[in-house]
Amino acid sequence: MQYNPKIYKLRNGVTVILDPMDIETTTVKVCFRTGGRDEAPNEYGLTHFCEHMMCRGTARFPTKKSIDDFMEINGGMMNAGTGSSVLVLRGKILPENVNSLIEVFGEQIFHSSFLPEKIDTERSVIIDELRRAMDDPEEQLGYFVSHRLFGGAIPSYRTLGNVENIMSFTRDQMLDWIGRRLSAKNCIVGISGKIIDEQDLLNCLEKNLGALPSFDVFENSKIVYTPDVAHNLLPDKENVKLRIYYPDLYKQSLEKKYEQKCINYFEAFLVRKLYRVLRYENGLVYDFGGTNIGNEKQAWSGFATETSTDNIAKAMELIAKNSFEFYNNPTFTDDDLLRLRSEKRLFNADWLESANSRSRTLISFYIDFNELYDYYGFIKLGRSITPDDIVKNSRGYFNGPISIITQGAELNEDMRALWNDNFR
C-alpha cells in the first residue's frame, strides 16, 4: 500500500494534506482546532451545539434529509464531531464525486441556517445526548478523572455542556462563535483515499474554503496535574474500575521520539506480563491493558482494569509487586522483541489500509508537531530499538507522582497503602 502524503496551502492559509491510496473511496475531513477546552464556563457545550446546527440545514440544503439525499445520490456519507480541542466535518464518498462532498462542507461552514425553530428542537436532542453520556460508566470515569487530576482540562463530557447552557444558547451566540472560532489558520483538511485529479481537488477546496478569513484563534492547551487517590462511588455497580496514572517521562516532541518509543515498548512488555499474572495465573480480571490521557503538550500513562470488590485488593497487590519486579529486573529477550514487532507490524498494516485512520493520524500529528506523519521513518525507528535501549530509557518510569482512580461499588481498601506496601 502506497504512502506518500503531501502538504499544500490554500491562498488563505488553510492546510491541506493529500494522501493518495489505491482504494475505491475517498475520505475527507475538515478539522478546526477548537473545542470544549477553549470555552468559558458560560460557553460549555457551545462548540458542540454549533456542530449539530451545521448539520441541520443550509441555504442550498434546507433540511438534514436534503443533505442525506444528495450524499446518497453521489455515493457518499457524512457526519461531524466535536472533541475537547477539535471540531471535525467528515465524510466518505466515491472518488469521482469528491467535489460534491467538499461543496456540502463549504455550505455547512458558510451558509448554515441556524434557524431558531431548529435550534429549539435540537436542544432536546443534545440534552438527551448529555443524559446518555452521564449514564455511561466510562464517561463518568472520564469526567471524574478529568476533574480530580486535571481540573476539568482533559476531555470529558464537559464538551457536551450542561442543561442550563444548552437551554440558554441563542442564534446570535452561535453565529458569533462561528465568526470567532472558524479561521483559515486553525483549519486542516485531510484527504485519504483515491485521488483522481490532484489539481482539480485543490481547485475545488480553494473554491469552497478559500473564503475562510485568516486570524489567530485562542487555544487553551494549559494543563495542570494534581496527583490524587480517589474513588467515585456508584453504589448500583458490582465491579470496581481501576486506573493508575504516571506522568510520561518525556513531553511530546519529535526530538524525544526514540526515547518515547522505547518507553512504549517497555509499557507493552509490562502490560503483557501483568495481564498474564492477573488473568491467567490468578483469574482476577477479565481484561487488563495500558491507558493514557493528556493533550498535545503532556501525557500520563498507566494501567486500566476492573474487578470485583473481593478481588480489587489482591489485584492491586499483584500489579504493584510485579511492576516493581519487572522494572528492577526487566526480563525480555530478542525473541520477545521480535514477537512485539510482529504484533506492531500487523497493527501498522491495518492502519496503512484504513483511509479513516490515516487521515485522522495525519491531521492529529500535524496539529501536534506541524509536520507530516513520517510513517516509514517511525517504522525504521522502532526496528532499531534493542532490549538495552528499552531498559536505559525506561529508568525513572515510576518516579513521578502516582494517581490511583477507582470507580464503582463501595471500596473499603486503602489503594495508596496497597501500592506503597507492595511496590518494593
Side-chain angles (χ1 to χ4, degrees):
M1 180 67 70
Q2 67 187 115
Y3 181 77
N4 186 32
K6 296 178 182 177
I7 292 181
Y8 300 88
K9 292 282 186 178
L10 302 186
R11 284 194 294 269
N12 59 353
V14 169
T15 300
V16 178
I17 304 174
L18 298 187
D19 175 31
M21 299 173 64
D22 185 19
I23 59 176
E24 295 304 312
T25 59
T26 306
T27 294
V28 181
K29 295 178 182 174
V30 180
C31 176
F32 291 94
R33 297 169 58 175
T34 186
R37 73 178 186 186
D38 303 319
E39 299 166 344
N42 68 326
E43 296 177 320
Y44 287 170
L46 182 56
T47 306
H48 177 252
F49 207 138
C50 287
E51 171 235 308
H52 272 240
M53 295 311 302
M54 291 170 74
C55 299
R56 283 298 309 270
T58 71
R60 180 180 172 189
F61 303 102
T63 66
K64 177 67 164 60
K65 184 179 184 303
S66 63
I67 297 176
D68 293 341
D69 288 346
F70 180 77
M71 293 307 299
E72 289 172 4
I73 289 172
N74 285 279
M77 59 183 69
M78 61 183 299
N79 209 329
T82 304
S84 175
S85 58
V86 292
L87 166 69
V88 183
L89 305 175
R90 57 179 181 266
K92 181 169 73 171
I93 199 166
L94 296 174
E96 63 269 25
N97 297 329
V98 66
N99 287 6
S100 297
L101 176 59
I102 293 170
E103 288 170 10
V104 176
F105 288 153
E107 276 282 308
Q108 291 177 312
I109 292 168
F110 294 106
H111 304 296
S112 288
S113 302
F114 288 88
L115 296 177
E117 61 269 24
K118 290 187 178 181
I119 291 173
D120 287 339
T121 300
E122 205 65 20
R123 295 189 203 277
S124 297
V125 174
I126 295 174
I127 289 172
D128 184 64
E129 186 178 356
L130 176 62
R131 282 197 302 263
R132 287 190 296 119
M134 294 176 71
D135 286 344
D136 185 314
E138 286 299 325
E139 293 279 0
Q140 292 168 348
L141 181 58
Y143 182 83
F144 189 69
V145 169
S146 177
H147 282 265
R148 294 298 299 226
L149 304 187
F150 306 106
I154 291 292
S156 68
Y157 53 67
R158 148 184 162 174
T159 299
L160 296 175
N162 54 61
V163 173
E164 181 181 1
N165 282 6
I166 293 167
M167 292 302 298
S168 71
F169 294 141
T170 67
R171 183 176 190 270
D172 287 344
Q173 273 183 286
M174 295 181 187
L175 294 178
D176 175 69
W177 177 92
I178 293 286
R180 288 188 292 111
R181 303 304 302 179
L182 302 190
S183 164
K185 283 192 174 183
N186 73 340
C187 181
I188 304 168
V189 180
I191 303 179
S192 295
K194 190 169 186 176
I195 298 176
I196 297 174
D197 187 328
E198 187 176 282
Q199 190 55 54
D200 180 66
L201 184 54
L202 290 170
N203 290 341
C204 180
L205 288 167
E206 191 72 59
K207 177 182 177 181
N208 288 278
L209 300 181
L212 267 173
S214 183
F215 55 88
D216 291 328
V217 178
F218 165 75
E219 292 181 12
N220 180 23
S221 61
K222 183 179 180 180
I223 182 170
V224 177
Y225 171 57
T226 305
D228 197 5
V229 177
H231 180 63
N232 185 27
L233 177 62
L234 301 179
D236 60 324
K237 303 301 179 184
E238 296 185 7
N239 268 10
V240 175
K241 293 180 180 292
L242 170 66
R243 300 293 185 268
I244 301 172
Y245 295 104
Y246 272 96
D248 282 6
L249 278 173
Y250 306 103
K251 289 188 176 182
Q252 303 284 70
S253 71
L254 289 178
E255 292 74 20
K256 291 293 183 180
K257 265 300 174 189
Y258 186 76
E259 292 86 346
Q260 288 169 342
K261 275 200 168 290
C262 288
I263 293 293
N264 292 342
Y265 276 53
F266 171 80
E267 290 172 338
F269 284 120
L270 177 55
V271 166
R272 181 180 299 181
K273 176 181 176 61
L274 293 173
Y275 178 69
R276 287 197 299 263
V277 169
L278 291 169
R279 176 166 183 175
Y280 294 110
E281 295 176 14
N282 290 274
L284 296 174
V285 303
Y286 174 77
D287 202 4
F288 183 91
T291 186
N292 59 76
I293 192 170
N295 63 9
E296 65 270 26
K297 304 295 183 182
Q298 297 172 268
W300 289 259
S301 299
F303 313 122
T305 191
E306 71 172 273
T307 188
S308 70
T309 52
D310 292 337
N311 291 336
I312 190 68
K314 183 64 175 178
M316 189 64 169
E317 174 188 332
L318 289 173
I319 293 169
K321 281 184 176 179
N322 284 275
S323 294
F324 181 83
E325 176 187 346
F326 185 83
Y327 176 75
N328 288 282
N329 300 286
T331 54
F332 45 84
T333 65
D334 288 335
D335 283 344
D336 293 326
L337 200 55
L338 178 61
R339 283 193 290 271
L340 183 58
R341 283 175 177 157
S342 295
E343 289 180 9
K344 289 184 177 295
R345 183 178 174 185
L346 181 62
F347 173 84
N348 289 332
D350 288 340
W351 179 88
L352 199 61
E353 295 168 0
S354 169
N356 182 54
S357 296
R358 282 168 59 150
S359 58
R360 181 174 59 245
T361 299
L362 283 162
I363 289 172
S364 62
F365 193 87
Y366 187 84
I367 288 174
D368 290 347
F369 303 111
N370 203 37
E371 292 188 18
L372 275 174
Y373 177 64
D374 185 8
Y375 170 77
Y376 290 111
F378 288 129
I379 293 292
K380 183 178 180 181
L381 193 69
R383 289 173 180 167
S384 70
I385 290 174
T386 67
D388 287 344
D389 290 333
I390 298 172
V391 174
K392 173 185 174 183
N393 287 291
S394 62
R395 299 308 86 190
Y397 181 82
F398 289 106
N399 287 357
I402 187 175
S403 287
I404 303 170
I405 301 297
T406 49
Q407 172 179 286
E410 186 172 354
L411 190 62
N412 297 315
E413 309 292 343
D414 185 337
M415 304 304 284
R416 186 193 301 274
L418 280 169
W419 178 271
N420 291 338
D421 290 345
N422 291 282
F423 189 79
R424 57 184 184 187

